Structure formats: C-alpha cells, structure tokens
Amino acid sequence: MTPSSTGTGEVPAPSEHPQTLRKGFNLRSATALAFADVSPIVALYAIFTLGLLAAGPAFWWAFPIVLGGQLLVACVFGELASRWPYEGSVYQWARHVRGPGSGWFAAWAYMWGLTIALSTLSYGAAGFLLQAIGVDAPGKAATMGTALAILVAGSLANIVGRRTLKILVVASLICEVLASVGLGTVLLLFYREQSFGVLFEGAGAGGGGAWLAGPMLAAAAFVGWSFVGFESAGSIAEEVEDPERAVPKALIFSLLAVGIVVMYSAAGLILAIPDMSRAMSGGVADPVSDTLVFHFGSSIGRPLLVMFVIGFLASFLAVQAAVSRVIWASARDRALPGSGVLGRLTGAERLPVFAILLTAVGAAVFVLLSGSTLYSVLVNFTTVGFYVAFGLPVWGAALLHLRGGWRPGPFNLGRFSAPVTYVAALWLAAQTINICWPRETGDAWYIEWSMVLTLSVVGLAGAALYLGWARHRIGPAYGESAAAKETV
C-alpha cells in the first residue's frame, strides 16, 4: 500500500464527486491570481528597508538568489499539480506523496501562515488608505478599525464570486505595472543618483566572507517573503480549465514575472537613493518614500498610495482565496474539526463560503492583537509557515524519487525531474533554517527567537490536534480510486 492509499474506503472519481467546484479560471486568470497573490508591490516595499539596513545596497543580489531557489520549487510544484490537479495545493501534494499526516501538517502550517498574512495585508492597506485620504498620523484605533473594514469588504468580495475577484486582480495588475515597472523605469532613466557599482557594496554593512555569512543571509531571509504566493494557482486547481497543463504554467509564469518586476523596481529604487550613507545609518525612517518625495515632491504621494492600497487589496483577495481553498479541501477529506460546515459549497457559484468566513474571523483576531507584542511574534511566523508548507510536499517528492516511485503527469521535467526536486528540497531546508535563525537585532529575546518559538508552539499544537483527533477521522484522499491504490 502506498502513502496515497492511506485511509479506508473509496471516494468517487473527481468528476463524479458531489463536492466539486465549478470552473471559473483559465491559464491567464490563474496566472493573474498568483501574480496578485505574490504582488510586486507587497513583495518589494514590505522588505526593502529591512534588506537595505541588513546588507546595504548589495542586498539586491538576494532577489535573484531567492528567485532561483523558488523557481526550482515552482517546477516541482508544477509536476505535483499536473499529477494531482486538485483543490488545496500544498495539502493535496503533500498528502498524495507522503500520506495524510504530511498533508495535514502542510495544511496546518499554510493555514496559520496565510491567515496571519491576511491581517498584515489588511493592516498595511489601512495605513496607506488613511494616508491617501489625508490622515497623516492615524492613531492605532483608526488604523485597526480601517483594517477590520477592509477585511470585511475583502471577504465579501471573495464570497460574491470569482468575477469580482478577477476584476480586482486585473486592476491590481495595472497598478503593479504603473507603480513598479513604470516608476522603476523613470527612476533608472532620469533620477539615478548612484552608480551601478553601488549594487556590489555593503555600504557599512560589512564585506567579504563575513558579509556573505551574516548580512547577506539575513537579506535572503527577508527576501524569502517576496517570492511566496505563486502556489495559489494550485490552490484553485479544480476551478481551472485543463488544470494538468494550465496550473503548472501559471505557477512558473507568475513567479518569474513577479521576480523580474521586483528586481527591476528594486534596482531603480536603490540607484535613486539620494543619500546612501544617511539611509544606511538609520537617519531615514522609510528610504522608499524619502527617495520618491526627494525626486518627485509630495504631489506624487497620494496617487502612489492609492496604487499601494489596490495592490495590497488584490493580494489580500488572492491570499484569502488560496487559504480558504486549502481549508475547504482539508474539510472535504474530513481532516478538520467542523468539516461538515467548512467543506460545504454554497451560492450560485458554489464557493467555500464558510471557509472564507473562517479566515476572516481568524484574521480579525490577529488585527485586534496588532497593538500587542504577541502580534509581532506571530507575524514573524508568516514566512516560515510558507516555507514549512512548501517543504513537506517537496521533501516528500524527493523521497518518492529516491525510492523510484515517481510517476509523471502531463507536465514533467523529464530526466531533470529528480535532480531539480533534490536541489529544491535542499534549498527549502536551508532557507527555512536561515529564516528561523535567531539573529541579534537588539529586540527582546522572544522577538529574536520568535520564529523558533512560534514554529514550535504551532507545531506542537498541530501534533496534539492531529494525534488526538484528525488521524482517527481523516478520510481517503480526494481523487483516490482503485487504480490509484496500485501506484503513486
């Protein structure tokens, strides 16, 4: 018996299953959704200052390094999605290659990481929105209230249907092009203050081997946040036309497009910084806004802030769509408490409304915690939650290759499949350790150790729930049939 056959009884083939979502995406819209999920605006502006202070302007090289590693992961995900084109991405892939336990923990890490991400996206959008309407120094209560309003509005948009989601994603793409590619081009052509050689300088952050082992690794950990979210194309696999071929392409195309845009925009911003020594000394609270105001004046502020709001909102919608599908897919297999409700499809478009509402409630709790130290600790779990959820299916696929049990789907890497999977598995292991590593930041010890602490607490809580409840109730994997029980 193979891992994918764990469980009792059989379920109908996917086309016959009573809980099957309707098709609503094609290759183009699935790619756009994944692009919006990663979001160049969020990917760059959320970590630019952190990367610059950690490793100097040469932190730019962390982008191609992390992008290269993540492209290997995307290729492995493409093979997995082609083999098992079912709703739920990391949950489905990990479960089919290693069994229900691996799938369950991939879903557990993913649900926690992305629900926290929803709260940070709504909170970030609230700050930009308040500034855009003229509230220059919003209080905590105003920001929190606006974030909750955004959370409610975004959740309602996801509940309304796929058309609303796709319209907002298109709006996001337009804003991404204007705010990222357009702005980067203008800065590079007309407002460059630094030579291209500055991209090879630590600017006081260190040099040589010590710089590579310290500041650059820290920058790579921060940039780890920039290139996650492309797996959302796999989270909606059953809603995509011809998913065996379209989803793998959407995974890879969206990540590659975001990577190119982010690297281009980051180079434009770094080279346009008017006073690098002041920016590196901490004399500038936000080097991005300081650089833009220096070159364009405060008049650029409001239109740019509106674009940022749209970018954050589109990312919110895409992230919520992805995590709600993972929750729904897990509930369909009876892997979660309340599966009877969470696994239900409702409305004219047959959407997982209750799963969407659960993510909204969870994110609202984290927004309400936004003024506490606990919130900062939990936010740090977002990135490592992604990487653990990514790692479980990729590590499982590597073991399957080692044992000679891999069977390719319509999309496959041929003779490169095994080596790419092995390198991707090593990359995810190394990057997860790098992200979790407790670096000295001057913060309280529990902030420096927050990645390890939250991973341990969430992991232990997940183990208790799985061993005490889930493993005794989880049903057979979706898509499993008599033929599938013979081989993986």
Side-chain angles (χ1 to χ4, degrees):
M1 182 177 289
T2 63
S4 65
S5 63
T6 315
T8 60
E10 293 183 21
V11 297
S15 60
E16 304 167 353
H17 199 286
Q19 286 293 77
T20 301
L21 291 108
R22 293 181 177 176
K23 302 292 185 184
F25 295 92
N26 55 24
L27 171 59
R28 185 167 50 192
S29 55
T31 303
L33 177 75
F35 185 95
D37 192 319
V38 186
S39 177
I41 288 176
V42 178
L44 177 59
Y45 296 114
I47 59 89
F48 185 88
T49 301
L50 295 172
L52 184 67
L53 293 177
F59 96 92
W60 183 88
W61 292 100
F63 287 115
I65 292 171
V66 176
L67 176 62
Q70 293 298 83
L71 279 172
L72 294 175
V73 175
C75 288
V76 178
F77 281 180
E79 288 199 311
L80 294 171
S82 183
R83 181 72 175 81
W84 296 286
Y86 309 137
E87 206 85 351
S89 64
V90 292
Y91 164 72
Q92 294 285 8
W93 304 331
R95 172 153 193 187
H96 281 85
V97 296
R98 288 297 298 162
S102 182
W104 195 91
F105 279 100
W108 181 251
Y110 194 77
M111 288 187 288
W112 271 91
L114 268 73
T115 301
I116 297 170
L118 288 176
S119 68
T120 60
L121 287 168
S122 60
Y123 204 82
F128 288 128
L129 178 60
L130 289 171
Q131 292 181 58
I133 62 176
V135 183
D136 295 327
K140 188 176 296 182
T143 305
M144 192 180 299
T146 305
L148 290 173
I150 289 171
L151 202 159
V152 171
S155 300
L156 288 175
N158 259 324
I159 290 171
V160 167
R162 298 177 184 88
R163 178 170 297 185
T164 302
L165 176 60
K166 288 190 283 188
I167 290 172
L168 289 172
V169 164
V170 170
S172 168
L173 290 175
I174 295 172
C175 291
E176 299 283 7
V177 170
L178 292 175
S180 299
V181 179
L183 189 60
T185 300
V186 171
L187 291 174
L188 283 171
L189 292 179
F190 305 109
Y191 297 102
R192 187 161 59 86
E193 297 284 333
Q194 310 290 335
S195 69
F196 283 96
V198 79
L199 295 176
F200 297 90
E201 296 177 5
W211 179 82
L212 289 172
M216 191 57 177
L217 283 178
F222 293 133
V223 172
W225 158 265
S226 300
F227 300 133
V228 293
F230 58 93
E231 80 296 331
S232 58
S235 296
I236 60 166
E238 292 169 37
E239 301 168 74
V240 179
E241 300 288 347
D242 191 20
E244 295 88 345
R245 294 171 177 80
V247 169
K249 294 176 184 177
L251 290 166
I252 296 169
F253 291 167
S254 61
L255 176 60
L256 188 59
V258 169
I260 292 171
V261 170
V262 167
M263 289 190 295
Y264 184 75
S265 302
L269 278 170
I270 291 172
L271 297 176
I273 293 175
D275 190 338
M276 186 63 71
S277 59
R278 182 167 170 263
M280 287 296 301
S281 68
V284 179
D286 184 355
V288 174
S289 61
D290 182 77
T291 298
L292 296 179
V293 169
F294 177 84
H295 291 300
F296 304 110
S298 58
S299 60
I300 193 177
R302 186 161 297 179
L304 198 60
L305 287 171
V306 171
M307 292 182 189
F308 285 0
V309 170
I310 294 174
F312 270 75
L313 285 176
S315 182
F316 174 94
L317 291 171
V319 168
Q320 189 178 50
V323 68
S324 64
R325 267 55 168 190
V326 170
I327 292 172
W328 176 81
S330 302
R332 179 173 58 181
D333 291 347
R334 303 193 298 277
L336 294 175
S339 291
V341 174
L342 295 175
R344 191 180 304 164
L345 298 175
T346 61
E349 292 199 39
R350 292 176 57 79
L351 291 169
V353 172
F354 295 102
I356 293 171
L357 290 174
L358 178 62
T359 66
V361 172
V365 171
F366 291 124
V367 168
L368 293 174
L369 288 172
S370 58
S372 69
T373 305
L374 177 63
Y375 182 72
S376 301
V377 173
L378 287 170
V379 165
N380 287 338
F381 178 80
T382 301
T383 306
V384 73
F386 266 109
Y387 277 83
V388 170
F390 285 8
L392 288 169
V394 173
W395 298 328
L399 287 173
L400 202 59
H401 275 288
L402 285 171
R403 294 173 178 174
W406 174 252
R407 301 291 182 271
F411 173 88
N412 64 85
L413 302 176
R415 67 177 182 273
F416 297 105
S417 177
V420 167
T421 302
Y422 299 148
V423 177
L426 291 173
W427 158 256
L428 286 173
Q431 182 69 334
T432 301
I433 294 171
N434 183 37
I435 291 169
C436 288
W437 198 263
R439 295 175 171 84
E440 293 185 10
T441 61
D443 293 317
W445 71 269
Y446 52 85
I447 299 294
E448 295 178 347
W449 284 80
S450 60
M451 295 287 193
V452 177
L453 290 173
T454 51
L455 186 60
S456 300
V457 171
V458 172
L460 289 173
L465 182 58
Y466 177 75
L467 294 174
W469 187 91
R471 72 169 178 170
H472 305 295
R473 294 171 173 83
I474 190 169
Y478 178 69
E480 185 177 272
S481 64
K485 293 185 178 182
E486 309 239 340
T487 182
V488 175

